[in-house]
């Protein structure tokens, strides 16, 4: 989750600085804007999430959210409203505008950081998608699997995998954050006629990690349980 960019938009300068400090401590690159108008002069499309106050100057957070959602360049960016307005009507309005979360002031800064992480995890999972047209794909960021052509690319460059490595990656990538035991992997990937042991699984995972750099560290071992593709 490191290096993801957050934009904090709030007319309380002290609050902006507190949120910026704590988000940076959590590993996020963070910028601030003291009004919706100022925020919209920035390159909003560069951000991975927007923390947005509702009651601000001439343009409200609701109005800014509507502008963000109506642009093809920014429609996908998660929005969390942080606001003293906490009526059911306000909450529903924010959610109807496409907000991903709604936090009422006063709030714990630790809670805000936790909510940011949760929303980013959820939206990252949505980036793993299957597309069905002439071919079927699984994709995570720049890692793409062509399930029909049996090809893997990273940043558009081919990655040479064996059939076994391909099937391991497909299984784990199709089920992000799900831990598969070595026994599960043996049953699902290797044929019943072939005798292999647990160590064989470890060797293939090690090779696969090296081949899919920079995504090798997403193939995570859960001690005593097995392996998963971690988001």
């Amino acid at each position: 989750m490191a290096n993801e960019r957050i934009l904090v938009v709030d007319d309380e300068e002290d609050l902006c600085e507190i949120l910026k400090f704590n988000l940076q401590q959590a590993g996020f690159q963070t910028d601030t804007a003291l009004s919706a108008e100022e925020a919209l002069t920035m390159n909003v499309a560069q951000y991975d999430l927007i923390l947005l106050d509702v009651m601000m100057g001439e343009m409200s957070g609701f109005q800014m959210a509507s502008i963000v959602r109506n642009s093809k360049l920014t429609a996908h960016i998660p929005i969390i409203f942080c606001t003293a307005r906490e009526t059911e009507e306000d909450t529903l309005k924010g959610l109807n505008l496409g907000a991903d979360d709604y936090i009422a002031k006063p709030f714990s800064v630790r809670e805000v950081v936790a909510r940011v992480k949760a929303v980013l995890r959820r939206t990252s999972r949505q980036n793993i998608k299957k597309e069905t047209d002439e071919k079927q794909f699984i994709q995570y960021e720049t890692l793409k699997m062509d399930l029909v052509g049996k090809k893997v690319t990273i940043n558009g460059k081919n990655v040479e995998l064996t059939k076994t490595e391909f099937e391991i990656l497909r299984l784990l990538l199709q089920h992000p954050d799900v831990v598969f035991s070595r026994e599960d992997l043996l049953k699902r990937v290797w044929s019943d006629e072939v005798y292999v042991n647990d160590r064989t699984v470890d060797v293939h995972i090690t090779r696969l990690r090296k081949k899919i750099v920079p995504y090798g560290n997403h193939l995570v071992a859960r001690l005593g349980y097995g392996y998963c593709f971690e988001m």
Side-chain angles (χ1 to χ4, degrees), residues 41-202:
T41 66
M42 304 164 73
N43 179 17
V44 177
Q46 71 182 305
Y47 295 101
D48 298 292
L49 184 142
I50 301 171
L51 276 172
L52 183 58
D53 188 25
V54 171
M55 297 298 292
M56 296 182 295
E58 295 295 322
M59 181 183 292
S60 72
F62 287 150
Q63 290 172 301
M64 177 177 167
S66 180
I67 291 170
V68 169
R69 284 286 172 262
N70 287 323
S71 168
K72 292 181 179 179
L73 294 176
T74 57
H76 65 285
I77 300 174
I79 296 173
I80 298 178
F81 281 119
C82 295
T83 177
R85 298 184 63 169
E86 54 180 328
T87 67
E88 182 178 4
E89 181 180 350
D90 288 332
T91 303
L92 290 174
K93 183 174 181 180
L95 295 175
N96 287 334
L97 283 169
D100 295 84
D101 205 346
Y102 204 109
I103 307 174
K105 296 178 181 178
F107 48 68
S108 158
V109 174
R110 291 178 62 187
E111 178 189 2
V112 173
V113 173
R115 296 277 194 99
V116 166
K117 290 180 178 179
V119 168
L120 287 171
R121 279 196 300 270
R122 186 165 67 244
T123 53
S124 291
R125 288 192 185 98
Q126 293 167 359
N127 287 335
I128 291 190
K129 57 185 181 294
K130 292 182 182 179
E131 305 165 355
T132 303
D133 41 31
E134 295 180 0
K135 294 185 177 180
Q136 188 176 22
F137 300 93
I138 309 174
Q139 184 168 345
Y140 173 69
E141 295 182 354
T142 67
L143 171 62
K144 189 171 186 178
M145 298 191 75
D146 177 347
L147 302 184
V148 176
K150 307 301 182 185
K151 296 179 181 179
V152 174
T153 59
I154 295 177
N155 287 317
K157 296 181 179 179
N158 287 328
V159 178
E160 295 297 330
L161 299 182
T162 66
K163 178 181 178 181
T164 300
E165 291 164 350
F166 185 95
E167 293 302 325
I168 292 172
L169 182 59
R170 173 164 72 170
L171 179 63
L172 297 181
L173 194 53
Q174 282 179 325
H175 304 280
D177 295 325
V178 175
V179 177
F180 290 85
S181 69
R182 290 172 177 82
E183 183 180 2
D184 286 335
L185 290 169
L186 288 172
K187 288 179 179 178
R188 290 170 179 257
V189 175
W190 280 264
S191 65
D192 294 335
E193 295 78 21
V194 178
Y195 177 77
V196 291
N197 56 35
D198 290 355
R199 178 58 181 161
T200 302
V201 175
D202 298 335

